[in-house]
Amino acid sequence: GQQLNQSPQSMFIQEGEDVSMNCTSSSIFNTWLWYKQDPGEGPVLLIALYKAGELTSNGRLTAQFGITRKDSFLNISASIPSDVGIYFCAGDYSGGGADGLTFGKGTHLIIQP
Amino acid sequence: GAVVSQHPSRVICKSGTSVKIECRSLDFQATTMFWYRQFPKKSLMLMATSNEGSKATYEQGVEKDKFLINHASLTLSTLTVTSAHPEDSSFYICSARDSSNEKLFFGSGTQLSVL
């Protein structure tokens, strides 16, 4: 299936720095989702966005659903060591529940001591 | 919150054997479940959509006879990797869509290693 264009592929940052990643698609999605995955685990939902233009926060995380419904970004403020992991964006057509998610390729977040 | 239980979490098998992976929605009904495959440090790729009471829908390139899916109840889907080979070694993840609100929940994944 189609994949989303997620960038950057990896990030090497210092603890306390802010992080920003984004996803774009040539297709319109009804829902944008951001997940974090730790090694050997399934993805854990961070933020779900349901409306174009929607800006949603979850603690230090902020995500927005682009106006065109073809893009989204995720920001993490004041990063801490436990933020390390792989972050995936995912688009959901969710027209009738019959479709699986389309995932981005992931952003590997590495925090340097 | 809604929980999806996936078992086993890790399995090692010999080449040529079959392996069954279970995905259960513990506190909601799921008419639709999904099976994904993930290689190390790569994205999740949808393999198939599992529909309760009917045949699964497979993505292009996924062998139906190789990856058997059964969704016999509203809370259970199984993926059987038949005659497993080393190239089938991967991380398999299921997700279930809550029929009442359309929200998706993921299992914790199964790491399959075929020797």
Side-chain angles (χ1 to χ4, degrees):
Chain A
Q2 177 187 2
Q3 276 204 326
L4 303 176
N5 298 313
Q6 184 172 350
S7 64
Q9 184 175 2
S10 59
M11 299 184 72
F12 296 81
I13 63 168
Q14 300 280 347
E15 182 179 351
E17 288 186 22
D18 296 342
V19 173
S20 183
M21 59 192 80
N22 68 82
C23 276
T24 61
S25 170
S26 57
S27 301
I28 291 175
F29 289 103
N30 295 325
T31 304
W32 278 89
L33 305 158
W34 285 93
Y35 290 89
K36 179 174 184 270
Q37 186 180 27
D38 292 325
E41 299 289 333
V44 175
L45 181 65
L46 299 174
I47 293 180
L49 303 160
Y50 300 103
K51 296 181 181 179
E54 179 181 355
L55 182 69
T56 298
S57 293
N58 178 8
R60 293 178 296 106
L61 278 60
T62 302
Q64 184 160 31
F65 192 158
I67 291 291
T68 64
R69 292 165 63 192
K70 294 182 178 181
D71 62 292
S72 176
F73 71 74
L74 173 71
N75 289 340
I76 306 173
S77 63
S79 59
I80 60 177
S82 61
D83 291 334
V84 167
I86 304 177
Y87 292 79
F88 290 101
C89 63
D92 190 0
Y93 291 104
S94 217
D99 297 319
L101 296 179
T102 300
F103 280 86
K105 293 187 177 181
T107 296
H108 296 237
L109 179 61
I110 301 165
I111 298 179
Q112 297 174 322
Chain B
V3 176
V4 173
S5 175
Q6 185 173 343
H7 290 283
S9 59
R10 187 177 297 272
V11 57
I12 301 172
C13 69
K14 292 182 179 180
S15 184
T17 61
S18 295
V19 174
K20 180 185 283 188
I21 303 170
E22 291 189 349
C23 182
R24 294 180 184 272
S25 56
L26 297 186
D27 54 2
F28 64 94
Q29 293 185 333
T31 305
T32 306
M33 293 187 177
F34 305 93
W35 289 96
Y36 295 84
R37 183 173 182 177
Q38 185 180 31
F39 291 105
K41 297 186 178 181
K42 298 294 183 182
S43 186
L44 286 76
M45 298 300 295
L46 181 65
M47 298 174 63
T49 301
S50 172
N51 303 299
E52 187 268 336
S54 64
K55 292 182 179 180
T57 304
Y58 290 82
E59 295 298 302
Q60 190 174 6
V62 178
E63 299 177 58
K64 300 178 182 181
D65 296 332
K66 177 73 171 176
F67 300 100
L68 298 179
I69 292 173
N70 184 284
H71 194 155
S73 77
L74 288 171
T75 59
L76 174 64
S77 175
T78 61
L79 169 68
T80 301
V81 183
T82 63
S83 187
H85 288 96
E87 57 265 30
D88 298 325
S89 298
S90 188
F91 194 56
Y92 293 88
I93 305 172
C94 72
S95 71
R97 195 181 286 279
D98 189 328
S99 301
S100 68
N101 57 25
E102 299 297 308
K103 290 187 176 181
L104 269 175
F105 301 94
F106 281 85
S108 56
T110 298
Q111 182 64 54
L112 171 63
S113 300
V114 184
L115 304 179

